[in-house]
Amino acid sequence: MMTSNLDPTTLARREAAVLSAEHALLLREHAAALLESTLRQQESVAHAQSARTTLTESQLREANERLVVATVRAQTMTEAAEGVAAQMSHMATHDFLTGLPNRVLLADRLTQAITHAQRQRKCVALMYLDLDHFKHINDSLGHAVGDQLLQAVSRRLRENVRQSDTVCRFGGDEFVVLLSEVEGAGDATLSAGKLIDALAEPYAIGEHRLHITQSIGISIYPEHGRDVETMLRQADIAMYHGKRKGRNTFQLFAPQMNVRALARQSIEVALRNALDGEGLVLHYQPKVNIASGAITGAEALVRLRQPGHALMYPSGFVHIAEDCGLIRPIGRWVLAQACRQAAAWLDDGLDLGQMAVNVSATEFHGKDFLAGVRATLHESGLDPARLEIEMTESALMQDTQPGIDVLHGLKNLGAQIALDDFGTGYSSLSYLRRFPIDTLKIDQSFVRDIGSGGDTSMLVNAIIAMGKSLRLHVVAEGIETPTQRSYLQLQGCTEGQGFYFGRPVDAAGFSALLAARHDSYPGAQAGTRCAGNPGARLT
Ligand code: C2E
Ligand code: MG
Ligand code: MG
């Protein structure tokens, strides 16, 4: 991601820079004209003196005074023009917002560092830094807060490297740090670890207390590249690799990462084609009442279909869709398709309970998200109470007012809100109270460990108890065995989801599941979170 989008502030600054340039040009022209006229006056004074013509003494004095004034003005203007020229050259090589060197200056310094290292037989390290989820902050709190955060980050970066190192802003939320003269990768990884720790401390911006982490990719001269282009590319690839492995981490470049970068590109193309054609498919997995096995809802799970390939699961493409800006159109498609499908099943008399749709943080923080959900519900005719939006804790991590407003907006529409993969993120009791959440979904990693004798069972118990005390529905994800089911039932967890009850299946498969349920219990009503409804047993 080496491109930068120009926001209105940057555009305005660019315009100001162009105006300053024009102003400087005018000043120079003016100064030149003045100098010329001064010279002419000097010539005529000289001529007058040498010719000892009939000029009176007062005329001579006046000419002299004019000469002095013109010379002083010309000097002042020349200085002003030189000042503007120096400012312009600084602007051409520095980032306006943070004052850090920009990519032009970095390329220059990296070239010098490489030449120097070549002579001294030393190494050079390049760190490509990208702030994790910075876009959410910009989207939810506005550009002014985003700008202040970027300035604060720049300061911390500068404070945590050596004077001789170069910290540069590459545009957007990307920075590059050049460590000239290092002994090897060890120095670079030490420095990267220090930067990760330094940036992870909270930032006080206005009334906000913000957290931001970063992913760092590192390339080393001469091991990974011998020129500016290659070193930047390899560090960028390593950075993406780090993001993929869980963010807030650094990653040293390795040649096999190039292969993955190519695979990434091909998935991006496949996603674009899928959005244009019919390459996205939804599968539906039943949610059930753990005690009775009755279906209480369906979770829509997206898959990517490519000619000649097996279906691809979200773990293979959702992160790429996030990075290349396709997650929002994909999310809109998923929501529309899931709502249409739920409405169609209900029209056919197949009561599925609620339809749950996963929404990523980027979608949730998009400014049209709420309006999009409202429009989709309207178009599909689905009763909003049938829709449940699933979000992970990290999507709500920043605990900001705009995010809370969207949650209330969803609630006002009549939709339900579930916290997905609960227990893996920044679980905090305070936000569980503050946010209008209906459901906690216990992450499958905890459920997997039930019966293995580890501490995680305690965690599961704690989440169930906490959910109960906050009057939330608690759904256990990833139930695969009868042991897990019995344990959860015993702990008072009412709902579950997992291969034990049913794998995700396509729309036809889920219709069959619902129809079988309908045939066995013709009078069965959904909304089966209500106690007492037997529904259809899946076990
Ligand atoms: P999730 O929302 O937590 O979905 C549950 C995932 O666990 C699904 O994987 C499901 O197939 C899998 N699963 C269900 N039961 C079991 C089980 O018993 N054992 C095991 N090992 N796995 C089980 P899937 O479909 O690969 O989706 C993975 C994740 O991708 C989802 O996690 C969700 O976070 C994301 N995702 C899926 N669809 C969408 C979507 O439309 N939009 C967005 N933004 N994310 C999606
Ligand atoms: Mg989910
Ligand atoms: Mg989950």
Side-chain angles (χ1 to χ4, degrees), residues 106 110 124-130 157 160-162 165-170 173-180 182 184-196 214-221 224 231-239 249-253:
L106 178 91
L110 181 55
V124 175
L126 202 65
M127 296 198 262
Y128 206 115
L129 271 80
D130 185 279
L157 288 175
N160 285 281
V161 295
R162 290 175 308 185
D165 298 331
T166 301
V167 178
C168 131
R169 181 167 175 228
F170 238 47
D173 60 350
E174 293 178 358
F175 297 84
V176 170
V177 179
L178 162 66
L179 307 178
S180 38
V182 290
D187 286 354
T189 52
L190 256 178
S191 191
K194 191 174 164 199
L195 289 182
I196 295 231
Q214 61 183 322
S215 302
I216 302 181
I218 306 171
S219 66
I220 307 283
Y221 165 89
H224 304 137
M231 282 198 68
L232 275 171
R233 193 177 55 247
Q234 315 293 51
D236 188 28
I237 288 173
M239 186 271 291
T249 161
F250 63 81
Q251 198 71 43
L252 198 60
F253 175 78

Short mmCIF file of all heavy atoms in Angstrom, two decimals, residues 106 110 124-130 157 160-162 165-170 173-180 182 184-196 214-221 224 231-239 249-253:
data_model
loop_
_atom_site.label_atom_id
_atom_site.label_comp_id
_atom_site.label_asym_id
_atom_site.label_seq_id
_atom_site.Cartn_x
_atom_site.Cartn_y
_atom_site.Cartn_z
N LEU A 106 13.49 10.69 1.74
CA LEU A 106 13.87 9.35 2.19
C LEU A 106 14.69 8.64 1.11
O LEU A 106 15.73 8.04 1.39
CB LEU A 106 12.66 8.50 2.54
CG LEU A 106 13.12 7.11 2.95
CD1 LEU A 106 13.35 7.01 4.43
CD2 LEU A 106 12.20 6.04 2.46
N LEU A 110 18.27 7.24 1.74
CA LEU A 110 18.50 5.80 1.64
C LEU A 110 19.61 5.52 0.63
O LEU A 110 20.49 4.68 0.86
CB LEU A 110 17.20 5.09 1.25
CG LEU A 110 17.25 3.57 1.13
CD1 LEU A 110 17.77 2.92 2.41
CD2 LEU A 110 15.86 2.99 0.82
N VAL A 124 22.13 -1.63 6.27
CA VAL A 124 21.13 -0.58 6.43
C VAL A 124 19.81 -1.29 6.66
O VAL A 124 19.54 -2.31 6.03
CB VAL A 124 21.02 0.28 5.14
CG1 VAL A 124 19.89 1.28 5.27
CG2 VAL A 124 22.33 0.98 4.85
N ALA A 125 19.00 -0.75 7.60
CA ALA A 125 17.68 -1.38 7.81
C ALA A 125 16.59 -0.38 7.48
O ALA A 125 16.70 0.82 7.76
CB ALA A 125 17.54 -1.82 9.27
N LEU A 126 15.54 -0.89 6.85
CA LEU A 126 14.41 -0.05 6.51
C LEU A 126 13.17 -0.64 7.18
O LEU A 126 12.89 -1.83 7.03
CB LEU A 126 14.22 -0.07 4.99
CG LEU A 126 13.46 1.10 4.41
CD1 LEU A 126 14.23 2.37 4.61
CD2 LEU A 126 13.21 0.87 2.94
N MET A 127 12.46 0.19 7.94
CA MET A 127 11.24 -0.31 8.60
C MET A 127 10.03 0.38 7.98
O MET A 127 9.97 1.61 7.93
CB MET A 127 11.27 0.02 10.09
CG MET A 127 12.37 -0.66 10.82
SD MET A 127 12.00 -0.64 12.57
CE MET A 127 12.93 0.72 13.11
N TYR A 128 9.11 -0.41 7.50
CA TYR A 128 7.87 0.13 6.93
C TYR A 128 6.78 -0.03 8.00
O TYR A 128 6.48 -1.15 8.42
CB TYR A 128 7.50 -0.69 5.69
CG TYR A 128 6.69 0.06 4.68
CD1 TYR A 128 7.20 0.33 3.42
CD2 TYR A 128 5.40 0.49 4.96
CE1 TYR A 128 6.47 1.01 2.47
CE2 TYR A 128 4.67 1.18 4.03
CZ TYR A 128 5.20 1.43 2.79
OH TYR A 128 4.46 2.12 1.85
N LEU A 129 6.23 1.08 8.45
CA LEU A 129 5.25 1.04 9.55
C LEU A 129 3.86 1.41 9.06
O LEU A 129 3.71 2.40 8.35
CB LEU A 129 5.62 2.11 10.57
CG LEU A 129 6.56 1.82 11.69
CD1 LEU A 129 7.99 1.89 11.22
CD2 LEU A 129 6.34 2.92 12.71
N ASP A 130 2.89 0.67 9.48
CA ASP A 130 1.51 1.03 9.14
C ASP A 130 0.68 0.95 10.41
O ASP A 130 0.75 -0.04 11.14
CB ASP A 130 0.99 0.05 8.08
CG ASP A 130 -0.38 0.44 7.59
OD1 ASP A 130 -1.37 0.13 8.29
OD2 ASP A 130 -0.47 1.05 6.52
N LEU A 157 7.74 8.47 17.36
CA LEU A 157 8.70 7.77 16.51
C LEU A 157 10.06 8.46 16.60
O LEU A 157 11.08 7.82 16.79
CB LEU A 157 8.21 7.74 15.06
CG LEU A 157 7.02 6.81 14.77
CD1 LEU A 157 6.56 6.99 13.33
CD2 LEU A 157 7.42 5.36 15.00
N ASN A 160 12.05 7.91 19.69
CA ASN A 160 12.49 6.55 19.99
C ASN A 160 13.46 5.96 18.96
O ASN A 160 13.61 4.75 18.89
CB ASN A 160 11.28 5.64 20.16
CG ASN A 160 10.62 5.88 21.50
OD1 ASN A 160 11.09 5.40 22.53
ND2 ASN A 160 9.56 6.68 21.49
N VAL A 161 14.05 6.84 18.16
CA VAL A 161 15.14 6.38 17.29
C VAL A 161 16.36 7.28 17.52
O VAL A 161 16.25 8.31 18.17
CB VAL A 161 14.75 6.39 15.78
CG1 VAL A 161 13.64 5.41 15.49
CG2 VAL A 161 14.37 7.80 15.34
N ARG A 162 17.49 6.88 16.94
CA ARG A 162 18.69 7.71 17.13
C ARG A 162 18.59 8.98 16.29
O ARG A 162 17.87 9.01 15.28
CB ARG A 162 19.93 6.93 16.66
CG ARG A 162 20.30 5.77 17.57
CD ARG A 162 21.45 5.00 16.97
NE ARG A 162 21.14 4.63 15.58
CZ ARG A 162 21.91 3.87 14.82
NH1 ARG A 162 23.03 3.40 15.28
NH2 ARG A 162 21.55 3.58 13.58
N ASP A 165 19.08 8.51 12.61
CA ASP A 165 18.11 7.74 11.81
C ASP A 165 17.08 8.70 11.20
O ASP A 165 16.87 9.80 11.71
CB ASP A 165 17.40 6.72 12.71
CG ASP A 165 18.38 5.70 13.28
OD1 ASP A 165 19.40 5.44 12.62
OD2 ASP A 165 18.13 5.20 14.39
N THR A 166 16.45 8.25 10.13
CA THR A 166 15.45 9.11 9.48
C THR A 166 14.06 8.52 9.67
O THR A 166 13.82 7.37 9.32
CB THR A 166 15.74 9.20 7.96
OG1 THR A 166 17.04 9.73 7.79
CG2 THR A 166 14.72 10.08 7.25
N VAL A 167 13.17 9.33 10.25
CA VAL A 167 11.76 8.92 10.32
C VAL A 167 11.04 9.72 9.27
O VAL A 167 11.14 10.94 9.22
CB VAL A 167 11.14 9.25 11.70
CG1 VAL A 167 9.68 8.85 11.73
CG2 VAL A 167 11.90 8.58 12.80
N CYS A 168 10.30 9.03 8.43
CA CYS A 168 9.67 9.75 7.33
C CYS A 168 8.20 9.35 7.23
O CYS A 168 7.83 8.23 7.59
CB CYS A 168 10.47 9.39 6.09
SG CYS A 168 9.56 8.89 4.69
N ARG A 169 7.35 10.30 6.85
CA ARG A 169 5.93 9.94 6.65
C ARG A 169 5.74 9.65 5.17
O ARG A 169 6.10 10.46 4.32
CB ARG A 169 5.02 11.07 7.10
CG ARG A 169 3.56 10.69 6.91
CD ARG A 169 2.62 11.63 7.61
NE ARG A 169 1.25 11.29 7.30
CZ ARG A 169 0.34 12.17 6.92
NH1 ARG A 169 0.65 13.44 6.80
NH2 ARG A 169 -0.89 11.78 6.66
N PHE A 170 5.14 8.50 4.93
CA PHE A 170 4.99 8.06 3.55
C PHE A 170 3.63 8.42 2.99
O PHE A 170 3.30 8.09 1.88
CB PHE A 170 5.22 6.55 3.50
CG PHE A 170 6.34 6.19 2.58
CD1 PHE A 170 7.53 6.89 2.66
CD2 PHE A 170 6.21 5.19 1.65
CE1 PHE A 170 8.57 6.59 1.81
CE2 PHE A 170 7.24 4.86 0.80
CZ PHE A 170 8.43 5.57 0.88
N ASP A 173 -1.40 6.73 6.84
CA ASP A 173 -0.95 6.27 8.16
C ASP A 173 0.31 5.43 8.03
O ASP A 173 0.55 4.55 8.83
CB ASP A 173 -2.07 5.47 8.85
CG ASP A 173 -2.46 4.25 8.04
OD1 ASP A 173 -2.00 4.14 6.88
OD2 ASP A 173 -3.21 3.41 8.54
N GLU A 174 1.09 5.70 7.00
CA GLU A 174 2.30 4.92 6.77
C GLU A 174 3.55 5.75 7.03
O GLU A 174 3.65 6.89 6.59
CB GLU A 174 2.32 4.39 5.34
CG GLU A 174 1.24 3.38 5.10
CD GLU A 174 1.22 2.89 3.66
OE1 GLU A 174 2.03 3.36 2.86
OE2 GLU A 174 0.37 2.04 3.37
N PHE A 175 4.48 5.14 7.75
CA PHE A 175 5.75 5.79 8.04
C PHE A 175 6.88 4.84 7.65
O PHE A 175 6.68 3.63 7.63
CB PHE A 175 5.88 6.08 9.55
CG PHE A 175 4.84 7.05 10.07
CD1 PHE A 175 3.58 6.61 10.43
CD2 PHE A 175 5.14 8.40 10.18
CE1 PHE A 175 2.62 7.51 10.90
CE2 PHE A 175 4.20 9.29 10.65
CZ PHE A 175 2.94 8.85 11.01
N VAL A 176 8.04 5.43 7.36
CA VAL A 176 9.21 4.59 7.09
C VAL A 176 10.35 5.10 7.97
O VAL A 176 10.55 6.31 8.08
CB VAL A 176 9.60 4.63 5.60
CG1 VAL A 176 10.94 3.96 5.38
CG2 VAL A 176 8.54 3.95 4.75
N VAL A 177 11.03 4.16 8.61
CA VAL A 177 12.19 4.55 9.43
C VAL A 177 13.44 3.95 8.80
O VAL A 177 13.47 2.75 8.51
CB VAL A 177 12.03 4.05 10.89
CG1 VAL A 177 13.25 4.43 11.71
CG2 VAL A 177 10.77 4.62 11.52
N LEU A 178 14.41 4.79 8.57
CA LEU A 178 15.68 4.34 8.00
C LEU A 178 16.73 4.29 9.09
O LEU A 178 17.02 5.31 9.72
CB LEU A 178 16.11 5.32 6.89
CG LEU A 178 17.56 5.28 6.44
CD1 LEU A 178 17.89 3.95 5.77
CD2 LEU A 178 17.85 6.43 5.49
N LEU A 179 17.25 3.10 9.35
CA LEU A 179 18.33 2.97 10.33
C LEU A 179 19.62 2.80 9.54
O LEU A 179 19.86 1.73 8.95
CB LEU A 179 18.12 1.74 11.22
CG LEU A 179 16.75 1.60 11.93
CD1 LEU A 179 16.70 0.31 12.72
CD2 LEU A 179 16.51 2.78 12.85
N SER A 180 20.39 3.86 9.49
CA SER A 180 21.63 3.75 8.71
C SER A 180 22.70 3.13 9.61
O SER A 180 22.64 3.30 10.84
CB SER A 180 22.07 5.13 8.22
OG SER A 180 21.82 6.09 9.20
N VAL A 182 23.63 -0.22 10.58
CA VAL A 182 23.36 -1.21 11.63
C VAL A 182 24.25 -2.42 11.38
O VAL A 182 24.74 -2.62 10.27
CB VAL A 182 21.87 -1.63 11.65
CG1 VAL A 182 20.99 -0.51 12.14
CG2 VAL A 182 21.40 -2.12 10.30
N GLY A 184 23.26 -5.56 11.69
CA GLY A 184 22.50 -6.64 11.07
C GLY A 184 21.05 -6.59 11.50
O GLY A 184 20.61 -5.61 12.13
N ALA A 185 20.32 -7.69 11.20
CA ALA A 185 18.89 -7.73 11.47
C ALA A 185 18.59 -7.57 12.96
O ALA A 185 17.55 -7.00 13.34
CB ALA A 185 18.31 -9.04 10.96
N GLY A 186 19.52 -8.05 13.82
CA GLY A 186 19.29 -7.99 15.27
C GLY A 186 19.05 -6.57 15.75
O GLY A 186 18.14 -6.30 16.53
N ASP A 187 19.86 -5.61 15.25
CA ASP A 187 19.69 -4.20 15.64
C ASP A 187 18.32 -3.71 15.23
O ASP A 187 17.65 -2.97 15.98
CB ASP A 187 20.73 -3.33 14.92
CG ASP A 187 22.11 -3.52 15.52
OD1 ASP A 187 22.20 -4.23 16.54
OD2 ASP A 187 23.07 -2.96 14.96
N ALA A 188 17.92 -4.09 14.02
CA ALA A 188 16.65 -3.59 13.49
C ALA A 188 15.46 -4.14 14.29
O ALA A 188 14.52 -3.40 14.61
CB ALA A 188 16.52 -3.98 12.02
N THR A 189 15.52 -5.42 14.63
CA THR A 189 14.38 -5.99 15.36
C THR A 189 14.30 -5.42 16.78
O THR A 189 13.22 -5.20 17.30
CB THR A 189 14.45 -7.54 15.40
OG1 THR A 189 15.72 -7.91 15.88
CG2 THR A 189 14.22 -8.15 14.05
N LEU A 190 15.47 -5.13 17.35
CA LEU A 190 15.48 -4.48 18.68
C LEU A 190 14.77 -3.14 18.61
O LEU A 190 13.91 -2.80 19.44
CB LEU A 190 16.93 -4.23 19.12
CG LEU A 190 17.50 -5.17 20.17
CD1 LEU A 190 18.95 -4.81 20.45
CD2 LEU A 190 16.66 -5.10 21.45
N SER A 191 15.14 -2.39 17.59
CA SER A 191 14.58 -1.05 17.41
C SER A 191 13.07 -1.13 17.14
O SER A 191 12.29 -0.33 17.65
CB SER A 191 15.31 -0.39 16.26
OG SER A 191 15.01 0.94 16.20
N ALA A 192 12.68 -2.13 16.33
CA ALA A 192 11.25 -2.30 16.00
C ALA A 192 10.45 -2.62 17.27
O ALA A 192 9.37 -2.07 17.48
CB ALA A 192 11.09 -3.40 14.96
N GLY A 193 11.01 -3.48 18.12
CA GLY A 193 10.32 -3.83 19.36
C GLY A 193 10.12 -2.60 20.24
O GLY A 193 9.07 -2.41 20.84
N LYS A 194 11.15 -1.75 20.25
CA LYS A 194 11.07 -0.53 21.06
C LYS A 194 9.96 0.39 20.52
O LYS A 194 9.17 0.95 21.29
CB LYS A 194 12.43 0.17 20.98
CG LYS A 194 12.61 1.28 21.96
CD LYS A 194 14.04 1.81 21.90
CE LYS A 194 14.11 3.17 22.58
NZ LYS A 194 15.26 3.94 22.21
N LEU A 195 9.88 0.50 19.20
CA LEU A 195 8.86 1.37 18.61
C LEU A 195 7.45 0.82 18.88
O LEU A 195 6.52 1.58 19.15
CB LEU A 195 9.07 1.50 17.10
CG LEU A 195 10.29 2.31 16.66
CD1 LEU A 195 10.36 2.41 15.14
CD2 LEU A 195 10.23 3.72 17.25
N ILE A 196 7.32 -0.50 18.81
CA ILE A 196 6.00 -1.11 19.07
C ILE A 196 5.54 -0.75 20.47
O ILE A 196 4.39 -0.34 20.68
CB ILE A 196 6.08 -2.65 18.89
CG1 ILE A 196 6.39 -2.97 17.44
CG2 ILE A 196 4.82 -3.34 19.42
CD1 ILE A 196 5.56 -3.92 16.73
N GLN A 214 0.70 -0.79 15.71
CA GLN A 214 1.28 -0.70 14.37
C GLN A 214 1.83 -2.04 13.93
O GLN A 214 2.12 -2.91 14.76
CB GLN A 214 2.41 0.32 14.40
CG GLN A 214 3.48 -0.13 15.37
CD GLN A 214 4.61 0.84 15.53
OE1 GLN A 214 5.02 1.44 14.57
NE2 GLN A 214 5.13 0.96 16.74
N SER A 215 1.94 -2.18 12.63
CA SER A 215 2.61 -3.36 12.08
C SER A 215 3.85 -2.87 11.36
O SER A 215 3.80 -1.89 10.63
CB SER A 215 1.69 -4.08 11.11
OG SER A 215 0.50 -4.43 11.78
N ILE A 216 4.96 -3.57 11.59
CA ILE A 216 6.23 -3.12 11.00
C ILE A 216 6.82 -4.23 10.13
O ILE A 216 6.87 -5.39 10.54
CB ILE A 216 7.26 -2.77 12.11
CG1 ILE A 216 6.70 -1.69 13.04
CG2 ILE A 216 8.59 -2.33 11.50
CD1 ILE A 216 7.67 -1.27 14.15
N GLY A 217 7.23 -3.86 8.93
CA GLY A 217 7.95 -4.79 8.06
C GLY A 217 9.38 -4.28 7.92
O GLY A 217 9.61 -3.08 7.80
N ILE A 218 10.36 -5.21 7.97
CA ILE A 218 11.76 -4.79 7.94
C ILE A 218 12.50 -5.41 6.76
O ILE A 218 12.37 -6.62 6.51
CB ILE A 218 12.49 -5.22 9.24
CG1 ILE A 218 11.71 -4.71 10.47
CG2 ILE A 218 13.93 -4.74 9.26
CD1 ILE A 218 12.21 -5.28 11.78
N SER A 219 13.25 -4.60 6.03
CA SER A 219 14.16 -5.16 5.03
C SER A 219 15.57 -4.66 5.34
O SER A 219 15.74 -3.57 5.89
CB SER A 219 13.75 -4.77 3.61
OG SER A 219 13.89 -3.39 3.43
N ILE A 220 16.55 -5.49 5.01
CA ILE A 220 17.94 -5.17 5.35
C ILE A 220 18.79 -5.12 4.07
O ILE A 220 18.67 -6.00 3.20
CB ILE A 220 18.54 -6.29 6.27
CG1 ILE A 220 17.65 -6.54 7.50
CG2 ILE A 220 19.98 -5.98 6.64
CD1 ILE A 220 17.76 -5.52 8.58
N TYR A 221 19.60 -4.07 3.97
CA TYR A 221 20.61 -4.02 2.91
C TYR A 221 21.87 -4.71 3.43
O TYR A 221 22.24 -4.43 4.58
CB TYR A 221 20.95 -2.57 2.53
CG TYR A 221 22.22 -2.47 1.71
CD1 TYR A 221 22.19 -2.56 0.33
CD2 TYR A 221 23.47 -2.35 2.35
CE1 TYR A 221 23.36 -2.52 -0.40
CE2 TYR A 221 24.64 -2.31 1.62
CZ TYR A 221 24.59 -2.40 0.24
OH TYR A 221 25.73 -2.37 -0.50
N HIS A 224 18.33 -8.18 1.65
CA HIS A 224 17.01 -8.24 1.01
C HIS A 224 16.87 -7.33 -0.20
O HIS A 224 15.87 -7.39 -0.91
CB HIS A 224 15.92 -7.89 2.02
CG HIS A 224 15.94 -8.76 3.23
ND1 HIS A 224 15.77 -8.27 4.50
CD2 HIS A 224 16.14 -10.09 3.37
CE1 HIS A 224 15.86 -9.26 5.37
NE2 HIS A 224 16.08 -10.37 4.71
N MET A 231 14.25 -2.35 -1.59
CA MET A 231 14.20 -2.36 -0.12
C MET A 231 12.83 -1.92 0.39
O MET A 231 12.29 -2.49 1.34
CB MET A 231 15.29 -1.47 0.45
CG MET A 231 16.63 -2.18 0.38
SD MET A 231 17.80 -1.44 1.45
CE MET A 231 17.20 -1.82 3.07
N LEU A 232 12.27 -0.90 -0.26
CA LEU A 232 10.93 -0.44 0.15
C LEU A 232 9.88 -1.52 -0.10
O LEU A 232 9.01 -1.78 0.73
CB LEU A 232 10.55 0.83 -0.62
CG LEU A 232 11.07 2.13 -0.02
CD1 LEU A 232 10.83 3.28 -0.98
CD2 LEU A 232 10.36 2.41 1.30
N ARG A 233 9.99 -2.14 -1.27
CA ARG A 233 8.98 -3.16 -1.62
C ARG A 233 9.03 -4.33 -0.65
O ARG A 233 8.00 -4.78 -0.15
CB ARG A 233 9.20 -3.63 -3.06
CG ARG A 233 8.01 -4.43 -3.60
CD ARG A 233 8.15 -4.84 -5.04
NE ARG A 233 9.36 -5.59 -5.30
CZ ARG A 233 10.35 -5.16 -6.05
NH1 ARG A 233 10.29 -3.97 -6.61
NH2 ARG A 233 11.43 -5.91 -6.24
N GLN A 234 10.25 -4.79 -0.34
CA GLN A 234 10.38 -5.96 0.54
C GLN A 234 9.89 -5.62 1.96
O GLN A 234 9.25 -6.43 2.62
CB GLN A 234 11.83 -6.47 0.62
CG GLN A 234 12.57 -6.58 -0.71
CD GLN A 234 12.02 -7.63 -1.65
OE1 GLN A 234 10.82 -7.64 -1.90
NE2 GLN A 234 12.88 -8.46 -2.19
N ALA A 235 10.18 -4.39 2.42
CA ALA A 235 9.72 -4.00 3.76
C ALA A 235 8.20 -3.91 3.78
O ALA A 235 7.55 -4.30 4.76
CB ALA A 235 10.35 -2.66 4.16
N ASP A 236 7.63 -3.40 2.69
CA ASP A 236 6.17 -3.29 2.58
C ASP A 236 5.52 -4.68 2.61
O ASP A 236 4.54 -4.93 3.32
CB ASP A 236 5.85 -2.58 1.25
CG ASP A 236 4.38 -2.22 1.12
OD1 ASP A 236 3.74 -2.02 2.15
OD2 ASP A 236 3.89 -2.17 -0.02
N ILE A 237 6.12 -5.61 1.86
CA ILE A 237 5.60 -6.98 1.81
C ILE A 237 5.67 -7.61 3.21
O ILE A 237 4.73 -8.23 3.69
CB ILE A 237 6.38 -7.82 0.78
CG1 ILE A 237 5.99 -7.38 -0.63
CG2 ILE A 237 6.14 -9.31 0.97
CD1 ILE A 237 6.80 -8.01 -1.73
N ALA A 238 6.81 -7.39 3.89
CA ALA A 238 6.97 -7.94 5.25
C ALA A 238 5.94 -7.35 6.19
O ALA A 238 5.39 -8.03 7.06
CB ALA A 238 8.39 -7.67 5.75
N MET A 239 5.65 -6.05 6.01
CA MET A 239 4.67 -5.39 6.88
C MET A 239 3.28 -6.04 6.70
O MET A 239 2.60 -6.32 7.68
CB MET A 239 4.63 -3.90 6.52
CG MET A 239 3.77 -3.05 7.41
SD MET A 239 2.10 -2.98 6.83
CE MET A 239 2.29 -2.02 5.35
N THR A 249 2.89 -6.02 15.55
CA THR A 249 4.06 -6.89 15.55
C THR A 249 5.01 -6.45 14.45
O THR A 249 4.62 -5.68 13.58
CB THR A 249 3.61 -8.35 15.31
OG1 THR A 249 4.70 -9.10 14.88
CG2 THR A 249 2.59 -8.45 14.19
N PHE A 250 6.25 -6.93 14.51
CA PHE A 250 7.16 -6.65 13.40
C PHE A 250 7.54 -7.94 12.70
O PHE A 250 7.45 -9.02 13.28
CB PHE A 250 8.41 -5.89 13.87
CG PHE A 250 9.25 -6.66 14.83
CD1 PHE A 250 10.14 -7.62 14.38
CD2 PHE A 250 9.15 -6.43 16.19
CE1 PHE A 250 10.93 -8.34 15.28
CE2 PHE A 250 9.93 -7.13 17.10
CZ PHE A 250 10.81 -8.09 16.63
N GLN A 251 7.95 -7.80 11.47
CA GLN A 251 8.24 -8.98 10.65
C GLN A 251 9.43 -8.67 9.76
O GLN A 251 9.45 -7.64 9.09
CB GLN A 251 6.99 -9.25 9.79
CG GLN A 251 6.93 -10.62 9.22
CD GLN A 251 6.64 -11.66 10.28
OE1 GLN A 251 5.79 -11.44 11.13
NE2 GLN A 251 7.34 -12.77 10.22
N LEU A 252 10.39 -9.57 9.79
CA LEU A 252 11.56 -9.41 8.93
C LEU A 252 11.24 -10.03 7.57
O LEU A 252 10.63 -11.10 7.51
CB LEU A 252 12.73 -10.14 9.60
CG LEU A 252 14.13 -9.79 9.16
CD1 LEU A 252 14.44 -8.33 9.41
CD2 LEU A 252 15.13 -10.67 9.93
N PHE A 253 11.66 -9.37 6.49
CA PHE A 253 11.34 -9.90 5.16
C PHE A 253 11.96 -11.28 4.96
O PHE A 253 13.04 -11.58 5.46
CB PHE A 253 11.86 -8.95 4.08
CG PHE A 253 11.67 -9.50 2.70
CD1 PHE A 253 10.43 -9.46 2.09
CD2 PHE A 253 12.73 -10.10 2.03
CE1 PHE A 253 10.24 -10.00 0.83
CE2 PHE A 253 12.55 -10.64 0.76
CZ PHE A 253 11.31 -10.59 0.17
#
